[in-house]
Amino acid sequence: MLFLTRLFGVTGSDAERSVAGEQSIIEQIVELVLVAQSKAATEQKRPLRRGTHAKGICVRGQFEVLDVKAGRDPVLAARLAKGIFATPGIYPAVVRFGNSDSKVNSDFKPDVRSLSFSVDLAREDTPFSDPNGARQDFSLQNATILPINDATAFLAIMKVLTASNPLAGLWSLPVKDKLRALRTLTLVQFQTHQKMKPYQQLRYWSNVPFRHGPVDVVKQSATPSADNSARPLESNNPNGLQDELVRHLGEDGKMSSFDFGLQFLDAGKMTYWGQHMGPNFWTENASVQWNEAEAPFHTVARLTLLPKSQLSPDAGEAAYFDVTKHATPDSTPIGSINRARQHGEAASRKARLQADSMGETLRNSSDHSKPLLAQKQ
C-alpha cells in the first residue's frame, strides 16, 4: 500500500520534491484558479464570488484562549504556550461557515463544509496585541486531510477542472499527473459524502500544518461542544444549513461553541503504513493524515458564537480570510500546498473585490443618472 500511495503522488523524500521548481507551477495555478472562478460565475450567471467556498454565511464570535498551563505537564504546557496561546484572554472574532464548492449550490448537494475565522489582535484591552499583524486567521474543513496533496497535484486537478471536457482534460495529462488527479478526485468523493449535519455540530480540521513557535509544527481542529443545539434540517430548503444557523443565533438561549485544539508534529511517534517518516514528509504531503492516536490534539482555546450576530450579505462577501497574510510570526503556514494556495487565494480575492468595486461604481452611476434622465423626459 505504501508503494501505491507513492505511485499516486505522495512524496517520500526531499529528493522527490523541487521547491525551486514550484514557482512556475504556482504561476500556472493562479491562472487556472482565475479561470475556474470566472467559469463558475458565468455558468451560474452571477457576479464573481470566492474561487472556492463560494457560498457561506458570516457571524460574530469570541475566541477565548484558555490557561494552557493549568493541570498539564510543564513540558507540554511550555510547548503549547506560544504566540497568542501564551496568555489567557478573550478576543473578538469574525466567523464564516461555508460550502467548499466553487459554485453556489443547494446546501444539500454533497460537499465539504468549512469554518474560517479571524481573531482581532489589535485591541489594546487584549493580552496579546500585534499592531503589525492586527489579526490571526484560521481556516478549517470538516475533513481530516486536504485531498490535494501538494502544488503538483494542485496544478493537475486544476487542469482537469478547467478543461472544457474534464475527461479529455484528465486524459491529456502525463501519467503521473493522471494518477495525482485520480487520487484527488477519489479522496474528494469520500469527503463530500459525509452525513449531513448543521454547521454548528460539525468538527473541523486545518488539513495543513502551521508553525507554533520557533521549533514546533502543529495542525488545528475545532470540535463542537456536545450540547451545541440544532433542529433537524429541512431537506427541501436549499439554504437549510444557513437558515438553521441563523435560527440558532436568533432563538436558542445557549450559543454553540467549539474547543480549539493543537496537534503537534512528533515524527518519532507518528507512522505512515507502519513506517516512521521524516518531518518534511508530514509537512509536504497535505493528503496524509496525522493519526490522533499517535499525535493527540490538546485543547488551548474555545470559539463561541454570539447571538443575533449575522453579518449582512454585503459585509459577508467583503470579509476574507488569509492564513498567510494574517499570521503572527510564530504561526505561519508551511508546506507545499500552503506555498501554492496563498497566491491562488490572493488572486481570486483581488478579482472578486475589484469586480464588486466596479459593480458598486456602476450602480452608483446608474442611481445618479436617474434624475437627469427624468429631467430630459
Side-chain angles (χ1 to χ4, degrees):
M1 186 60 72
L2 180 59
F3 167 76
L4 285 177
T5 55
R6 295 278 294 278
L7 180 65
F8 279 78
V10 173
T11 54
S13 68
D14 291 346
E16 299 176 64
R17 311 179 188 107
S18 174
V19 175
E22 276 187 352
Q23 186 56 43
S24 173
I25 292 174
I26 289 171
E27 291 172 0
Q28 295 176 71
I29 288 171
V30 170
E31 291 180 8
L32 294 178
V33 164
L34 295 176
V35 169
Q37 182 182 22
S38 177
K39 181 181 177 182
T42 299
E43 289 178 353
Q44 294 196 312
K45 299 179 180 180
R46 59 164 173 79
L48 284 183
R49 291 200 180 183
R50 290 166 172 81
T52 57
H53 302 188
K55 183 179 182 181
I57 179 172
C58 286
V59 303
R60 297 195 181 277
Q62 68 176 26
F63 190 67
E64 179 184 5
V65 175
L66 307 175
D67 184 356
V68 300
K69 299 177 181 178
R72 281 197 170 106
D73 171 77
V75 175
L76 173 59
R79 290 181 76 186
L80 292 170
K82 298 292 190 298
I84 186 177
F85 304 107
T87 308
I90 298 176
Y91 303 84
V94 173
V95 186
R96 186 178 192 267
F97 294 92
N99 304 336
S100 293
D101 203 294
S102 60
K103 292 185 176 180
V104 179
N105 303 314
S106 165
D107 286 348
F108 284 85
K109 181 182 185 294
D111 203 352
V112 174
R113 316 301 170 181
S114 62
L115 165 64
S116 303
F117 62 99
S118 62
V119 176
D120 183 0
L121 305 178
R123 292 167 47 134
E124 295 181 357
D125 59 342
T126 54
F128 185 99
S129 181
D130 181 10
N132 297 316
R135 73 191 224 197
Q136 185 165 338
D137 287 3
F138 301 88
S139 179
L140 307 96
Q141 299 191 116
N142 71 319
T144 57
I145 60 170
L146 198 68
I148 307 172
N149 187 69
D150 51 25
T152 306
F154 195 174
L155 178 57
I157 196 64
M158 290 306 300
K159 287 180 177 178
V160 173
L161 296 178
T162 56
S164 56
N165 183 328
L167 188 59
L170 177 63
W171 185 253
S172 69
L173 296 175
V175 173
K176 285 188 177 180
D177 283 349
K178 278 190 182 74
L179 296 176
R180 291 184 177 102
L182 286 171
R183 183 172 186 267
T184 300
L185 293 170
T186 301
L187 291 174
V188 167
Q189 286 303 305
F190 280 117
Q191 291 185 355
T192 56
H193 288 79
Q194 300 184 53
K195 182 179 179 181
M196 187 81 170
K197 286 185 178 181
Y199 286 135
Q200 65 266 31
Q201 293 185 335
L202 292 170
R203 184 180 177 186
Y204 302 88
W205 291 263
S206 67
N207 302 152
V208 293
F210 296 80
R211 296 196 181 280
H212 186 70
V215 176
D216 278 313
V217 172
V218 299
K219 285 188 177 183
Q220 307 153 348
S221 181
T223 303
S225 297
D227 59 353
N228 284 3
S229 60
R231 289 182 182 173
L233 297 170
E234 300 176 358
S235 59
N236 61 342
N237 179 2
N239 298 316
L241 288 172
Q242 291 193 4
D243 289 351
E244 166 49 28
L245 182 65
V246 172
R247 183 214 61 77
H248 167 61
L249 297 178
E251 298 180 8
D252 292 341
K254 186 176 185 299
M255 291 293 97
S256 289
S257 64
F258 299 82
D259 286 346
F260 187 84
L262 302 178
Q263 179 188 36
F264 287 110
L265 194 174
D266 285 325
K269 299 177 181 177
M270 297 162 59
T271 58
Y272 181 67
W273 294 107
Q275 295 189 22
H276 290 283
M277 311 297 287
N280 282 0
F281 172 86
W282 300 105
T283 59
E284 296 299 317
N285 292 294
S287 63
V288 172
Q289 185 171 348
W290 296 11
N291 189 340
E292 289 189 45
E294 299 171 337
F297 279 90
H298 305 279
T299 299
V300 294
R302 182 168 296 114
L303 175 67
T304 303
L305 308 183
L306 298 181
K308 299 179 176 64
S309 64
Q310 178 188 0
L311 272 64
S312 69
D314 286 346
E317 281 301 304
Y320 74 91
F321 306 88
D322 188 326
V323 297
T324 302
K325 180 180 179 181
H326 296 295
T328 59
D330 52 11
S331 67
T332 54
I334 61 173
S336 180
I337 277 295
N338 280 319
R339 292 191 294 271
R341 78 171 184 174
Q342 62 171 308
H343 299 283
E345 290 177 353
S348 171
R349 177 171 67 249
K350 181 179 179 180
R352 173 172 63 90
L353 295 181
Q354 283 181 341
D356 287 346
S357 178
M358 290 179 61
E360 182 66 24
T361 300
L362 290 172
R363 286 191 294 273
N364 289 339
S365 297
S366 176
D367 290 342
H368 293 158
S369 68
K370 286 178 181 178
L372 296 176
L373 291 173
Q375 291 174 12
K376 289 180 180 179
Q377 291 176 348

